[in-house]
Amino acid sequence: QVQLVESGGGSVQIGGSLRLSCIVNGFVFSRASMGWFRQAPGKEREGVAAIDYRGLASYLDDVKDRFSITKDNAENTLYLQMHSLAPRDTATYFCAVRPSLGSPTSLRGDDYQYWGQGIQVTVSS
């Protein structure tokens, strides 16, 4: 059974930083593509960042200079380091995983097979 568990969310002031973590169990982590997605109230889910088994990453344009996606194969953990947070980053963040096939750094949610339960990030003044 594949399980993804996010942690590290919370409330932060504008300009602050947070690091999200996602522990993945039951999946061959070293051969996976993994991503972070977010969904704000009333908006569609969007891909924020993705990383493939080689460590190659892709980002949503709005976050590419502020966020960094990394992974620790030994710990089966995916990270999203977020800096310079803004109110527009407020959302529920989800991690997701799939085999590294096709477009391994895809930001399309439909390409991902397994999902975490989501964690809230709130940015306010």
Side-chain angles (χ1 to χ4, degrees), residues 19 26 29 44 63 91-93 95 104-105 109 115:
R19 187 176 79 159
F29 197 80
E44 292 188 355
V63 308
T92 300
Y93 283 71
C95 60
T105 57
W115 292 80

Side-chain angles (χ1 to χ4, degrees), residues 85-96:
L85 284 161
R88 66 183 184 277
D89 298 313
T90 294
T92 300
Y93 283 71
F94 301 86
C95 60

Side-chain angles (χ1 to χ4, degrees), residues 7-120:
S7 62
S11 296
V12 64
Q13 292 187 327
I14 295 171
S17 299
L18 281 175
R19 187 176 79 159
L20 303 183
S21 300
C22 174
I23 296 176
V24 181
N25 292 313
F27 201 89
V28 182
F29 197 80
S30 61
R31 298 181 182 179
S33 285
M34 290 156 286
W36 287 99
F37 297 79
R38 67 186 181 188
Q39 187 166 22
K43 295 187 177 181
E44 292 188 355
R45 181 182 63 195
E46 63 180 354
V48 175
I51 188 168
D52 74 1
Y53 69 98
R54 300 163 293 180
L56 296 178
S58 63
Y59 294 92
L60 180 70
D61 282 348
D62 185 47
V63 308
K64 63 182 179 181
D65 295 326
R66 301 184 294 123
F67 293 7
S68 177
I69 186 171
T70 57
K71 64 187 179 81
D72 184 330
N73 288 344
E75 298 293 329
N76 278 20
T77 303
L78 177 71
Y79 299 100
L80 184 68
Q81 180 68 56
M82 305 184 291
H83 296 296
S84 302
L85 284 161
R88 66 183 184 277
D89 298 313
T90 294
T92 300
Y93 283 71
F94 301 86
C95 60
V97 65
R98 67 184 183 97
S100 275
L101 301 173
S103 300
T105 57
S106 170
L107 292 178
R108 291 181 66 247
D110 289 347
D111 289 340
Y112 288 79
Q113 187 173 5
Y114 299 100
W115 292 80
Q117 79 286 355
I119 193 163
Q120 180 67 32

